[in-house]
């Protein structure tokens, strides 16, 4: 079982305590399951520390992540831990009041990223899940260089987890922690259906 | 973004509804991060469905998973969702009253598995996280053939997620869903320390 021992101690002049407070940029990528699920699991730890947690969900289906959302919202509303804010592109971002407007996913994604930039600058949260955020980058809706530069320059101790397949190499290079989830075997390969409580 | 479409529809005589209720055995393995974290993320979905959730934690360090544990316990104690039961080998299994006794990890692991077998037979829970359970199998403390046979024969609709490195090939063969978490980059490689809110 892992002991958490670094492979070497860097000559960076920082104390262990300072090193423990360095903000982390994590990327969960690959074709396997668990990229987002692990990010939401990390959010449990952040919540437990009492940190303000924000989720920005760059997905379209309303059914996605309903379990995680209800759980994290319940935690955020409870007496312990940190507050939880959940933003969904799929229903139109909550800070944009534009009922009935035509949906343009590229514009919506850019609006989501603009809000994240404002929140990072204001240090609104301490832990961010940017769920499926690799796709707007891949599709050119959000500028990768801007994402990398903004994350590299973010103030304070704000941890960020980006999930999604096909993460851009520049994002991976900027990340502190990269995990690739690889599909070894999936029930849908055998024709099984997505299941309540398992897939959502 | 994934659409949840099976690659083919099996000729098993089951309806879609029946197929959605098939119990899943999932294994999260590999050297990367997120194996357990993703399992706890799945537990959020199970909780959200109102299912009784049980965690059996086959680890020794008391610091491990404290964030996930406090979050899932808070959810289980709240007004919504399913109840959550959390068993820890590291502090001696809660159902075994033997304060001050000598610890034997092999015996403790076997006791943990014996309780899981009783719970599976009684259908005590609907979603099980067997955290780091690959290690007792690897070290011969728990018989792999017994695990595979018991899981294959479990009654009802009980979902089981096993986490840990070096999952036994027979367990992988029995699983419906296998994800390998691969370490691409980790801050400890650069000498950084484990961080509150990120590692625990």
């Amino acid at each position: 079982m892992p002991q958490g021992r670094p492979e070497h101690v860097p000559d960076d002049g920082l104390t262990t305590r300072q090193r423990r407070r360095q903000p982390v940029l994590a990327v969960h990528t690959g074709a396997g399951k668990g990229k987002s699920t692990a990010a939401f699991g990390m959010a449990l730890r952040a919540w437990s520390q009492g940190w303000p947690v924000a989720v920005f969900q760059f997905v379209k289906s309303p059914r996605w992540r309903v379990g995680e959302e209800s759980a994290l919202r319940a935690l955020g509303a409870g007496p312990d831990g940190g507050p939880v804010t959940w933003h969904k592109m799929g229903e139109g971002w909550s800070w944009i009041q534009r009922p009935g407007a035509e949906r343009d996913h590229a514009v919506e994604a850019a609006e989501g990223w603009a809000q994240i930039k404002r929140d990072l600058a204001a240090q609104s949260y301490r832990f961010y899940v940017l769920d499926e955020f690799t796709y707007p980058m891949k599709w050119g809706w959000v500028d990768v260089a801007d994402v990398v530069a903004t994350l590299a320059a973010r103030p304070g101790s704000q941890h960020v987890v980006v999930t999604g397949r096909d993460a851009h190499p520049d994002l991976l290079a900027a990340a502190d922690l990269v995990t690739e989830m690889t599909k070894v075997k999936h029930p849908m390969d055998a024709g099984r259906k997505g299941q309540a409580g398992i897939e959502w």
Side-chain angles (χ1 to χ4, degrees), chain A residues 55-139:
Chain A
V55 177
F56 290 83
Q57 206 181 0
F58 287 83
V59 290
K60 283 174 276 184
S61 163
R63 201 172 67 179
W64 276 96
R65 326 278 184 233
V66 291
E68 292 92 329
E69 181 181 352
S70 64
L72 279 163
R73 282 189 188 277
L75 288 170
D80 301 314
V84 175
T85 306
W86 195 289
H87 295 297
K88 276 190 279 197
M89 184 172 125
E91 300 176 355
W93 301 111
S94 56
W95 64 85
I96 295 172
Q97 301 299 326
R98 201 180 42 187
E102 278 280 302
R103 290 277 187 80
D104 180 319
H105 293 311
V107 170
E108 282 191 295
E111 287 169 345
W113 169 239
Q115 180 63 39
I116 293 164
K117 287 179 77 167
R118 288 191 291 270
D119 284 328
L120 287 168
Q123 302 189 50
S124 307
Y125 309 102
R126 183 106 186 248
F127 187 89
Y128 298 72
V129 177
L130 310 189
D131 190 35
E132 312 271 21
F133 188 49
T134 57
Y135 300 104
M137 283 187 264
K138 182 180 177 183
W139 297 329

Coordinates of all heavy atoms in Angstrom, one line a residue, chain A residues 55-139:
Chain A
V55 N -18.1 22.8 -9.4 CA -18.1 21.9 -10.6 C -18.6 22.7 -11.8 O -19.6 23.4 -11.7 CB -19.0 20.7 -10.3 CG1 -19.1 19.8 -11.6 CG2 -18.5 19.9 -9.1
F56 N -17.8 22.6 -12.9 CA -18.3 23.2 -14.1 C -18.4 22.0 -15.1 O -17.4 21.4 -15.5 CB -17.3 24.2 -14.7 CG -17.2 25.5 -13.9 CD1 -16.5 25.6 -12.8 CD2 -18.0 26.6 -14.3 CE1 -16.5 26.8 -12.0 CE2 -17.9 27.8 -13.6 CZ -17.2 27.9 -12.5
Q57 N -19.6 21.7 -15.5 CA -19.9 20.5 -16.2 C -20.1 20.8 -17.7 O -21.2 21.4 -18.1 CB -21.2 19.9 -15.6 CG -21.3 18.4 -15.8 CD -22.6 17.9 -15.2 OE1 -23.4 18.6 -14.6 NE2 -22.7 16.6 -15.3
F58 N -19.1 20.5 -18.5 CA -19.2 20.8 -19.9 C -19.8 19.6 -20.7 O -19.2 19.1 -21.6 CB -17.8 21.1 -20.5 CG -17.3 22.5 -20.0 CD1 -16.7 22.6 -18.8 CD2 -17.4 23.6 -20.8 CE1 -16.2 23.9 -18.4 CE2 -16.9 24.8 -20.4 CZ -16.3 25.0 -19.2
V59 N -21.0 19.3 -20.4 CA -21.7 18.2 -21.0 C -23.1 18.6 -21.4 O -23.6 19.5 -20.9 CB -21.7 16.9 -20.2 CG1 -20.3 16.3 -20.1 CG2 -22.4 17.1 -18.9
K60 N -23.7 17.8 -22.3 CA -25.0 18.1 -22.8 C -26.1 17.4 -22.2 O -27.2 17.9 -22.1 CB -25.0 18.0 -24.3 CG -24.2 19.1 -25.1 CD -24.1 18.8 -26.5 CE -22.9 17.9 -26.8 NZ -22.7 17.7 -28.3
S61 N -25.9 16.1 -21.9 CA -27.0 15.3 -21.5 C -27.5 15.6 -20.1 O -26.7 15.7 -19.1 CB -26.6 13.8 -21.5 OG -27.5 13.0 -20.7
P62 N -28.8 15.8 -19.9 CA -29.2 16.1 -18.5 C -29.1 15.0 -17.6 O -29.2 15.1 -16.4 CB -30.7 16.5 -18.7 CG -31.1 15.8 -20.0 CD -29.8 15.8 -20.9
R63 N -29.0 13.8 -18.1 CA -28.9 12.6 -17.2 C -27.6 12.4 -16.6 O -27.4 11.7 -15.5 CB -29.3 11.3 -18.0 CG -29.8 10.2 -17.0 CD -30.4 9.1 -17.8 NE -29.4 8.4 -18.6 CZ -29.6 7.3 -19.4 NH1 -30.8 6.9 -19.4 NH2 -28.6 6.8 -20.0
W64 N -26.5 13.0 -17.2 CA -25.2 12.7 -16.7 C -24.9 13.3 -15.3 O -25.3 14.4 -15.0 CB -24.2 13.4 -17.7 CG -23.9 12.6 -18.8 CD1 -24.5 12.6 -20.0 CD2 -22.9 11.5 -18.8 NE1 -23.9 11.6 -20.8 CE2 -23.0 10.9 -20.1 CE3 -22.1 11.0 -17.9 CZ2 -22.2 9.8 -20.5 CZ3 -21.3 9.9 -18.2 CH2 -21.4 9.3 -19.5
R65 N -24.3 12.4 -14.5 CA -23.8 12.9 -13.2 C -24.9 13.3 -12.2 O -24.6 14.0 -11.3 CB -22.8 14.1 -13.3 CG -22.0 14.1 -14.5 CD -20.8 13.3 -14.4 NE -20.0 13.5 -15.6 CZ -19.5 12.5 -16.4 NH1 -19.9 11.2 -16.1 NH2 -18.8 12.7 -17.4
V66 N -26.1 12.8 -12.4 CA -27.2 13.2 -11.5 C -26.9 12.7 -10.1 O -27.2 13.4 -9.1 CB -28.6 12.8 -12.0 CG1 -29.0 13.6 -13.2 CG2 -28.7 11.3 -12.2
G67 N -26.3 11.5 -10.0 CA -26.1 11.0 -8.7 C -25.0 11.8 -7.9 O -25.1 12.2 -6.8
E68 N -23.9 12.1 -8.7 CA -22.8 12.9 -8.1 C -23.3 14.3 -7.7 O -22.9 14.8 -6.7 CB -21.6 13.0 -9.1 CG -20.9 11.7 -9.3 CD -21.5 11.0 -10.5 OE1 -22.7 11.1 -10.8 OE2 -20.7 10.3 -11.2
E69 N -24.1 14.8 -8.6 CA -24.6 16.2 -8.4 C -25.5 16.2 -7.1 O -25.3 17.1 -6.2 CB -25.4 16.7 -9.6 CG -25.9 18.1 -9.3 CD -26.7 18.7 -10.5 OE1 -26.8 18.0 -11.6 OE2 -27.3 19.7 -10.3
S70 N -26.4 15.3 -7.0 CA -27.3 15.3 -5.8 C -26.5 15.0 -4.5 O -26.7 15.7 -3.5 CB -28.5 14.3 -6.0 OG -28.0 13.0 -6.0
A71 N -25.5 14.2 -4.6 CA -24.7 13.9 -3.4 C -23.9 15.1 -3.0 O -23.9 15.5 -1.9 CB -23.8 12.7 -3.7
L72 N -23.2 15.7 -4.0 CA -22.3 16.9 -3.7 C -23.2 18.1 -3.3 O -22.8 18.8 -2.3 CB -21.4 17.2 -4.8 CG -20.2 16.3 -4.9 CD1 -19.5 16.3 -6.2 CD2 -19.2 16.7 -3.8
R73 N -24.3 18.2 -3.9 CA -25.2 19.3 -3.4 C -25.7 19.1 -2.0 O -25.8 20.0 -1.2 CB -26.4 19.5 -4.4 CG -26.1 20.2 -5.7 CD -27.4 20.4 -6.4 NE -27.2 20.9 -7.8 CZ -27.0 22.2 -8.1 NH1 -26.9 23.1 -7.2 NH2 -26.8 22.6 -9.4
A74 N -26.0 17.8 -1.7 CA -26.5 17.5 -0.3 C -25.3 17.8 0.7 O -25.6 18.4 1.8 CB -26.9 16.1 -0.2
L75 N -24.1 17.4 0.3 CA -23.0 17.7 1.2 C -22.8 19.2 1.4 O -22.6 19.7 2.5 CB -21.7 17.1 0.6 CG -21.6 15.5 0.7 CD1 -20.4 15.0 -0.1 CD2 -21.5 15.1 2.2
G76 N -22.8 19.9 0.3 CA -22.6 21.3 0.3 C -23.6 22.1 1.2 O -23.4 23.1 1.8
A77 N -24.9 21.5 1.2 CA -26.0 22.1 1.9 C -26.0 21.7 3.4 O -26.7 22.3 4.2 CB -27.3 21.8 1.3
G78 N -25.2 20.7 3.8 CA -25.2 20.2 5.1 C -24.4 21.1 6.1 O -23.7 22.0 5.7
P79 N -24.4 20.7 7.3 CA -23.7 21.5 8.4 C -22.2 21.4 8.4 O -21.5 22.3 8.9 CB -24.2 20.9 9.7 CG -24.6 19.5 9.3 CD -25.0 19.5 7.9
D80 N -21.6 20.3 7.8 CA -20.1 20.1 7.8 C -19.5 20.4 6.4 O -20.3 20.5 5.4 CB -19.8 18.7 8.2 CG -20.4 18.4 9.6 OD1 -20.2 19.2 10.5 OD2 -21.0 17.3 9.7
G81 N -18.2 20.4 6.4 CA -17.5 20.5 5.1 C -17.7 21.9 4.4 O -18.2 22.8 5.0
G82 N -17.2 21.9 3.2 CA -17.3 23.2 2.4 C -18.6 23.3 1.6 O -19.3 22.3 1.4
P83 N -18.8 24.5 1.1 CA -20.0 24.7 0.2 C -19.7 24.1 -1.2 O -18.5 24.0 -1.6 CB -20.1 26.2 0.1 CG -18.8 26.8 0.5 CD -18.1 25.8 1.4
V84 N -20.7 23.8 -1.9 CA -20.6 23.2 -3.2 C -21.4 24.0 -4.2 O -22.6 24.2 -4.0 CB -21.0 21.7 -3.3 CG1 -20.9 21.2 -4.7 CG2 -20.1 20.9 -2.3
T85 N -20.8 24.4 -5.3 CA -21.5 25.1 -6.4 C -21.4 24.2 -7.6 O -20.3 23.8 -8.0 CB -20.8 26.5 -6.7 OG1 -20.8 27.2 -5.4 CG2 -21.6 27.3 -7.7
W86 N -22.5 24.0 -8.3 CA -22.6 23.1 -9.5 C -23.1 23.9 -10.7 O -24.3 24.3 -10.7 CB -23.5 21.9 -9.1 CG -23.3 20.8 -10.1 CD1 -23.7 20.7 -11.4 CD2 -22.7 19.5 -9.8 NE1 -23.4 19.5 -12.0 CE2 -22.7 18.8 -11.0 CE3 -22.1 19.0 -8.7 CZ2 -22.2 17.5 -11.1 CZ3 -21.6 17.7 -8.8 CH2 -21.7 16.9 -10.0
H87 N -22.3 24.1 -11.7 CA -22.7 24.8 -12.9 C -22.8 23.8 -14.0 O -21.9 23.0 -14.3 CB -21.6 25.8 -13.3 CG -21.4 26.9 -12.3 ND1 -22.5 27.8 -12.0 CD2 -20.4 27.3 -11.5 CE1 -22.0 28.7 -11.1 NE2 -20.8 28.4 -10.8
K88 N -23.9 23.9 -14.8 CA -24.1 23.0 -15.9 C -24.3 23.7 -17.2 O -25.2 24.5 -17.3 CB -25.4 22.1 -15.6 CG -25.2 21.0 -14.8 CD -26.4 20.1 -14.7 CE -27.4 20.6 -13.8 NZ -28.4 19.6 -13.4
M89 N -23.4 23.4 -18.1 CA -23.6 24.0 -19.5 C -24.9 23.4 -20.1 O -25.6 24.1 -20.8 CB -22.4 23.6 -20.3 CG -22.4 24.2 -21.7 SD -20.9 23.9 -22.6 CE -21.5 23.1 -24.1
G90 N -25.2 22.1 -19.8 CA -26.3 21.4 -20.5 C -27.6 22.1 -20.3 O -28.5 22.0 -21.1
E91 N -27.8 22.8 -19.2 CA -29.1 23.6 -19.0 C -28.9 25.0 -19.2 O -29.8 25.8 -18.8 CB -29.6 23.3 -17.6 CG -29.8 21.8 -17.4 CD -30.2 21.5 -15.9 OE1 -30.2 22.5 -15.1 OE2 -30.5 20.4 -15.6
G92 N -27.8 25.5 -19.8 CA -27.5 26.9 -19.9 C -26.8 27.2 -18.5 O -27.4 26.9 -17.5
W93 N -25.7 27.9 -18.6 CA -25.0 28.3 -17.3 C -26.0 29.1 -16.4 O -26.7 30.0 -16.9 CB -23.8 29.1 -17.6 CG -22.8 28.3 -18.4 CD1 -22.4 28.6 -19.7 CD2 -22.0 27.2 -18.1 NE1 -21.5 27.8 -20.2 CE2 -21.2 26.9 -19.2 CE3 -21.9 26.4 -16.9 CZ2 -20.3 25.8 -19.1 CZ3 -21.0 25.4 -16.9 CH2 -20.2 25.1 -18.0
S94 N -25.9 28.8 -15.1 CA -26.9 29.4 -14.2 C -26.7 31.0 -14.1 O -27.7 31.7 -13.8 CB -26.8 28.8 -12.8 OG -25.4 29.0 -12.4
W95 N -25.5 31.4 -14.4 CA -25.3 32.9 -14.3 C -25.7 33.7 -15.5 O -25.6 34.9 -15.5 CB -23.8 33.2 -14.0 CG -22.8 32.8 -15.1 CD1 -22.5 33.5 -16.2 CD2 -22.1 31.6 -15.2 NE1 -21.6 32.9 -17.0 CE2 -21.4 31.6 -16.4 CE3 -22.1 30.4 -14.4 CZ2 -20.6 30.6 -16.8 CZ3 -21.3 29.4 -14.9 CH2 -20.5 29.5 -16.0
I96 N -26.2 32.9 -16.5 CA -26.6 33.6 -17.8 C -28.1 33.4 -17.9 O -28.6 32.3 -18.0 CB -25.9 33.0 -19.0 CG1 -24.4 33.3 -18.9 CG2 -26.5 33.6 -20.3 CD1 -23.5 32.7 -19.9
Q97 N -28.8 34.5 -17.9 CA -30.3 34.5 -17.9 C -30.7 34.8 -19.4 O -30.6 35.9 -19.8 CB -30.9 35.6 -17.0 CG -30.5 35.4 -15.5 CD -30.9 34.0 -15.0 OE1 -32.0 33.5 -15.3 NE2 -30.1 33.5 -14.1
R98 N -31.0 33.7 -20.1 CA -31.3 33.9 -21.5 C -32.3 32.9 -22.0 O -32.0 32.1 -22.9 CB -30.0 33.8 -22.3 CG -30.1 34.5 -23.7 CD -28.7 34.3 -24.3 NE -28.2 32.9 -24.1 CZ -27.0 32.5 -24.4 NH1 -26.1 33.3 -25.0 NH2 -26.6 31.3 -24.2
P99 N -33.5 32.8 -21.3 CA -34.4 31.7 -21.5 C -34.9 31.7 -23.0 O -35.1 32.7 -23.5 CB -35.5 31.9 -20.5 CG -35.4 33.3 -20.1 CD -34.0 33.7 -20.2
G100 N -34.9 30.5 -23.5 CA -35.5 30.4 -24.9 C -34.5 30.7 -26.0 O -34.8 30.6 -27.2
A101 N -33.3 31.2 -25.6 CA -32.4 31.5 -26.7 C -31.9 30.3 -27.4 O -31.9 29.2 -26.9 CB -31.2 32.3 -26.1
E102 N -31.5 30.5 -28.6 CA -30.8 29.4 -29.4 C -29.6 28.9 -28.7 O -28.8 29.8 -28.2 CB -30.4 29.9 -30.8 CG -31.5 29.9 -31.8 CD -31.8 28.5 -32.4 OE1 -30.9 27.9 -33.0 OE2 -33.0 28.0 -32.3
R103 N -29.3 27.7 -28.7 CA -28.1 27.1 -28.1 C -27.0 27.1 -29.1 O -27.1 26.6 -30.2 CB -28.3 25.7 -27.6 CG -29.3 25.6 -26.4 CD -28.5 25.8 -25.1 NE -29.3 25.5 -24.0 CZ -29.5 24.3 -23.5 NH1 -29.0 23.3 -24.1 NH2 -30.3 24.1 -22.4
D104 N -25.9 27.6 -28.7 CA -24.7 27.5 -29.5 C -23.6 26.9 -28.5 O -23.1 27.6 -27.7 CB -24.2 28.8 -30.1 CG -23.0 28.7 -30.9 OD1 -22.0 27.9 -30.5 OD2 -22.9 29.3 -32.0
H105 N -23.2 25.6 -28.7 CA -22.4 25.0 -27.8 C -21.0 25.7 -27.7 O -20.4 25.8 -26.6 CB -22.2 23.5 -28.1 CG -23.4 22.8 -28.0 ND1 -24.2 22.8 -26.8 CD2 -24.1 21.9 -28.8 CE1 -25.3 22.0 -27.0 NE2 -25.2 21.5 -28.2
A106 N -20.5 26.2 -28.8 CA -19.2 26.8 -28.8 C -19.2 28.1 -27.9 O -18.3 28.3 -27.1 CB -18.8 27.2 -30.2
V107 N -20.3 28.9 -28.1 CA -20.5 30.1 -27.3 C -20.6 29.7 -25.8 O -20.0 30.3 -25.0 CB -21.7 30.9 -27.8 CG1 -22.0 32.1 -26.9 CG2 -21.4 31.4 -29.2
E108 N -21.5 28.7 -25.6 CA -21.7 28.3 -24.2 C -20.4 27.9 -23.5 O -20.1 28.2 -22.4 CB -22.7 27.2 -24.1 CG -24.1 27.7 -24.3 CD -25.1 26.6 -23.9 OE1 -25.2 25.6 -24.6 OE2 -25.9 26.8 -22.9
A109 N -19.6 27.1 -24.2 CA -18.4 26.6 -23.7 C -17.4 27.8 -23.4 O -16.8 27.8 -22.3 CB -17.7 25.6 -24.6
A110 N -17.4 28.7 -24.3 CA -16.5 29.9 -24.1 C -17.0 30.7 -22.9 O -16.2 31.2 -22.1 CB -16.5 30.8 -25.3
E111 N -18.3 30.8 -22.7 CA -18.9 31.5 -21.6 C -18.5 30.8 -20.3 O -18.3 31.4 -19.2 CB -20.4 31.6 -21.7 CG -20.9 32.6 -22.7 CD -22.3 32.5 -23.0 OE1 -23.0 31.5 -22.7 OE2 -22.9 33.5 -23.7
G112 N -18.5 29.5 -20.3 CA -18.1 28.7 -19.1 C -16.7 29.0 -18.7 O -16.4 29.2 -17.6
W113 N -15.8 28.9 -19.7 CA -14.4 29.2 -19.5 C -14.2 30.6 -19.0 O -13.4 30.9 -18.0 CB -13.6 28.9 -20.7 CG -12.1 29.4 -20.6 CD1 -11.5 30.3 -21.4 CD2 -11.2 29.0 -19.6 NE1 -10.2 30.5 -21.0 CE2 -10.0 29.7 -19.8 CE3 -11.2 28.2 -18.5 CZ2 -8.9 29.6 -19.0 CZ3 -10.1 28.1 -17.7 CH2 -8.9 28.8 -18.0
A114 N -14.9 31.6 -19.5 CA -14.8 33.0 -19.1 C -15.2 33.1 -17.6 O -14.5 33.8 -16.8 CB -15.7 33.9 -19.9
Q115 N -16.2 32.4 -17.2 CA -16.6 32.4 -15.8 C -15.5 31.8 -14.9 O -15.2 32.3 -13.8 CB -17.9 31.7 -15.6 CG -18.4 31.7 -14.1 CD -18.7 33.1 -13.6 OE1 -19.2 33.9 -14.3 NE2 -18.3 33.4 -12.4
I116 N -14.9 30.7 -15.4 CA -13.9 30.0 -14.6 C -12.7 31.0 -14.4 O -12.1 31.1 -13.3 CB -13.4 28.7 -15.3 CG1 -14.6 27.7 -15.3 CG2 -12.2 28.1 -14.7 CD1 -14.4 26.5 -16.3
K117 N -12.4 31.7 -15.5 CA -11.3 32.7 -15.4 C -11.6 33.7 -14.3 O -10.7 34.1 -13.5 CB -11.0 33.4 -16.7 CG -10.3 32.5 -17.7 CD -10.2 33.2 -19.1 CE -9.0 34.2 -19.0 NZ -8.6 34.6 -20.4
R118 N -12.8 34.2 -14.3 CA -13.2 35.2 -13.3 C -13.1 34.6 -11.9 O -12.6 35.2 -11.0 CB -14.6 35.7 -13.5 CG -14.8 36.6 -14.8 CD -16.2 37.3 -14.8 NE -17.2 36.3 -15.1 CZ -17.7 36.0 -16.4 NH1 -17.1 36.5 -17.4 NH2 -18.7 35.2 -16.5
D119 N -13.6 33.4 -11.7 CA -13.5 32.7 -10.4 C -12.1 32.4 -10.0 O -11.8 32.6 -8.8 CB -14.4 31.4 -10.4 CG -15.9 31.7 -10.4 OD1 -16.3 32.7 -9.8 OD2 -16.6 30.9 -11.0
L120 N -11.2 32.0 -10.9 CA -9.8 31.8 -10.5 C -9.2 33.1 -10.1 O -8.5 33.2 -9.1 CB -9.1 31.2 -11.7 CG -9.4 29.7 -12.0 CD1 -8.7 29.3 -13.3 CD2 -8.8 28.8 -10.9
A121 N -9.5 34.2 -10.8 CA -8.9 35.5 -10.5 C -9.4 35.9 -9.1 O -8.6 36.5 -8.3 CB -9.2 36.5 -11.5
A122 N -10.6 35.7 -8.8 CA -11.2 36.1 -7.5 C -11.0 35.1 -6.4 O -11.4 35.3 -5.3 CB -12.7 36.3 -7.7
Q123 N -10.4 34.0 -6.8 CA -10.2 32.9 -5.8 C -11.5 32.5 -5.1 O -11.7 32.4 -3.9 CB -9.1 33.2 -4.8 CG -7.8 33.5 -5.4 CD -6.7 33.6 -4.4 OE1 -6.5 32.8 -3.5 NE2 -5.9 34.7 -4.5
S124 N -12.6 32.3 -6.0 CA -13.9 32.1 -5.5 C -14.0 30.7 -4.8 O -14.8 30.5 -3.9 CB -14.9 32.1 -6.6 OG -14.8 33.3 -7.4
Y125 N -13.2 29.8 -5.3 CA -13.3 28.4 -4.8 C -11.8 27.9 -4.5 O -10.9 28.5 -4.9 CB -13.9 27.5 -5.8 CG -15.3 28.0 -6.3 CD1 -15.4 28.6 -7.6 CD2 -16.4 27.9 -5.5 CE1 -16.6 29.1 -8.0 CE2 -17.6 28.4 -6.0 CZ -17.7 29.0 -7.2 OH -18.9 29.5 -7.7
R126 N -11.8 26.8 -3.8 CA -10.4 26.2 -3.6 C -10.3 24.9 -4.4 O -9.1 24.4 -4.5 CB -10.3 25.9 -2.1 CG -9.0 25.4 -1.6 CD -8.2 26.4 -0.9 NE -6.9 25.9 -0.6 CZ -6.4 25.6 0.6 NH1 -7.1 25.9 1.7 NH2 -5.2 25.1 0.8
F127 N -11.4 24.3 -4.9 CA -11.3 23.1 -5.6 C -12.3 23.1 -6.8 O -13.4 23.4 -6.6 CB -11.6 21.9 -4.7 CG -11.3 20.5 -5.4 CD1 -10.1 19.9 -5.3 CD2 -12.4 19.9 -6.1 CE1 -9.9 18.7 -5.9 CE2 -12.1 18.7 -6.7 CZ -10.9 18.1 -6.6
Y128 N -11.7 22.9 -8.0 CA -12.6 23.1 -9.2 C -12.6 21.7 -9.9 O -11.5 21.2 -10.2 CB -12.0 24.1 -10.2 CG -11.9 25.5 -9.7 CD1 -11.0 25.9 -8.7 CD2 -12.7 26.5 -10.2 CE1 -10.9 27.2 -8.2 CE2 -12.7 27.8 -9.7 CZ -11.8 28.1 -8.7 OH -11.7 29.4 -8.3
V129 N -13.7 21.2 -10.3 CA -13.8 20.1 -11.3 C -14.3 20.7 -12.6 O -15.4 21.3 -12.7 CB -14.8 19.1 -10.8 CG1 -14.9 18.0 -11.9 CG2 -14.4 18.4 -9.5
L130 N -13.4 20.6 -13.6 CA -13.8 21.1 -15.0 C -14.1 19.8 -15.8 O -13.2 19.3 -16.4 CB -12.7 21.9 -15.6 CG -12.1 23.1 -14.7 CD1 -11.1 23.9 -15.5 CD2 -13.2 23.9 -14.1
D131 N -15.4 19.4 -15.7 CA -15.8 18.1 -16.1 C -16.0 18.1 -17.7 O -16.8 18.9 -18.2 CB -17.0 17.7 -15.4 CG -17.4 16.2 -15.7 OD1 -16.5 15.4 -15.8 OD2 -18.6 15.9 -15.8
E132 N -15.3 17.2 -18.3 CA -15.4 17.1 -19.8 C -14.8 18.3 -20.5 O -15.2 18.6 -21.6 CB -16.8 16.8 -20.3 CG -17.5 15.7 -19.5 CD -17.3 14.3 -20.1 OE1 -16.3 14.1 -20.8 OE2 -18.1 13.4 -19.8
F133 N -13.9 19.0 -19.8 CA -13.4 20.3 -20.4 C -12.4 20.1 -21.5 O -12.0 21.0 -22.2 CB -12.8 21.1 -19.2 CG -12.4 22.5 -19.6 CD1 -13.3 23.4 -20.2 CD2 -11.2 23.0 -19.2 CE1 -13.0 24.7 -20.5 CE2 -10.8 24.3 -19.5 CZ -11.7 25.2 -20.2
T134 N -11.9 18.8 -21.6 CA -11.0 18.6 -22.7 C -11.7 18.8 -24.1 O -11.0 19.1 -25.1 CB -10.4 17.2 -22.7 OG1 -11.5 16.2 -22.7 CG2 -9.6 17.0 -21.4
Y135 N -13.0 18.5 -24.1 CA -13.7 18.5 -25.4 C -13.8 19.9 -26.0 O -13.5 20.1 -27.2 CB -15.1 17.9 -25.4 CG -14.9 16.4 -24.9 CD1 -15.2 16.0 -23.6 CD2 -14.4 15.5 -25.8 CE1 -15.1 14.7 -23.2 CE2 -14.3 14.1 -25.4 CZ -14.6 13.8 -24.1 OH -14.4 12.5 -23.7
P136 N -14.2 21.0 -25.3 CA -14.2 22.3 -25.8 C -12.9 22.8 -26.3 O -12.7 23.5 -27.3 CB -14.7 23.2 -24.7 CG -15.3 22.3 -23.7 CD -14.8 20.9 -23.9
M137 N -11.8 22.3 -25.6 CA -10.4 22.6 -26.1 C -10.2 21.9 -27.4 O -9.6 22.5 -28.4 CB -9.4 22.2 -25.0 CG -9.4 23.2 -23.9 SD -8.0 22.8 -22.7 CE -8.9 21.9 -21.5
K138 N -10.5 20.6 -27.4 CA -10.3 19.8 -28.6 C -11.0 20.4 -29.9 O -10.5 20.4 -31.0 CB -10.8 18.4 -28.4 CG -10.5 17.4 -29.5 CD -11.1 16.0 -29.2 CE -10.9 15.1 -30.3 NZ -11.4 13.7 -30.0
W139 N -12.2 20.9 -29.6 CA -13.0 21.4 -30.7 C -12.7 22.8 -31.1 O -13.4 23.4 -31.9 CB -14.5 21.1 -30.4 CG -14.8 19.7 -30.3 CD1 -14.2 18.6 -30.9 CD2 -15.8 19.1 -29.4 NE1 -14.8 17.4 -30.5 CE2 -15.8 17.7 -29.6 CE3 -16.7 19.6 -28.5 CZ2 -16.6 16.8 -28.9 CZ3 -17.6 18.7 -27.8 CH2 -17.5 17.3 -28.0

